[in-house]
Amino acid sequence: ILDIRSNPNLQPETSTSWTAGFDYAHDFDASDLDLSVSWFKIDYKDRIGRPGNSFFYLTDPALFAPVILTDPDPSVAAAIVADPSIAFFGNFSGGAWVMPGDEEFILDDRLVNLASVDTSGLDVDLAYGVDTNFGDLSFGLNSTYLFKQEKAITPSSPVFDVVSTVFNPIDWRIR
């Protein structure tokens, strides 16, 4: 069973952010060059989010042990199935319908206060403008490189980096 109910135990999240950077601008006779580079680090405590991606919980049971309830009490499963806040409840196993009391595990995919989420990276902005007989032309490049985005589900669970994993941010983005 996949538990996607609301979580009444959520607490406010907090964060500490650090940034450092520099800007460079140079005007040429008929063109301008602007460069901005910024490093950032954001450390969340009690970040509200999902523990991971429910599609992958069973691929690493040790890592996701806090959200896998094995041999659940039938009353817990019955409460999940009967909860009116779930708009859809389906059988994704491909097999026969499992009735409360017959399930082998429950995956708790509710929003939770994650113990920590630590993100750091680098933002780079480059702009170049040139005056022509036809008007002004501007070119720009914007890029973010993530060094890490590490999560810990509980204070005692292992930390894992989610950068460039399915359904998470990629390490390098350019536009």
Side-chain angles (χ1 to χ4, degrees), residues 107-161:
L107 302 178
D108 189 351
D109 198 34
R110 297 177 296 168
L111 291 174
V112 296
N113 288 104
L114 300 169
S116 65
V117 178
D118 298 332
T119 304
S120 65
L122 193 66
D123 287 328
V124 177
D125 292 313
L126 179 65
Y128 180 73
V130 62
D131 299 330
T132 70
N133 293 334
F134 305 105
D136 297 335
L137 292 177
S138 298
F139 304 93
L141 175 79
N142 176 287
S143 177
T144 298
Y145 184 81
L146 287 179
F147 299 126
K148 69 175 184 174
Q149 185 170 65
E150 296 176 334
K151 289 184 178 182
I153 299 171
T154 66
S156 61
S157 64
V159 173
F160 58 102
D161 194 349

Side-chain angles (χ1 to χ4, degrees), residues 45-64:
K45 300 297 178 224
D46 294 323
R47 175 80 188 258
I48 296 173
R50 301 211 182 278
N53 183 304
S54 59
F55 293 113
F56 302 109
Y57 289 162
L58 298 177
T59 61
D60 193 344
L63 181 62
F64 292 107

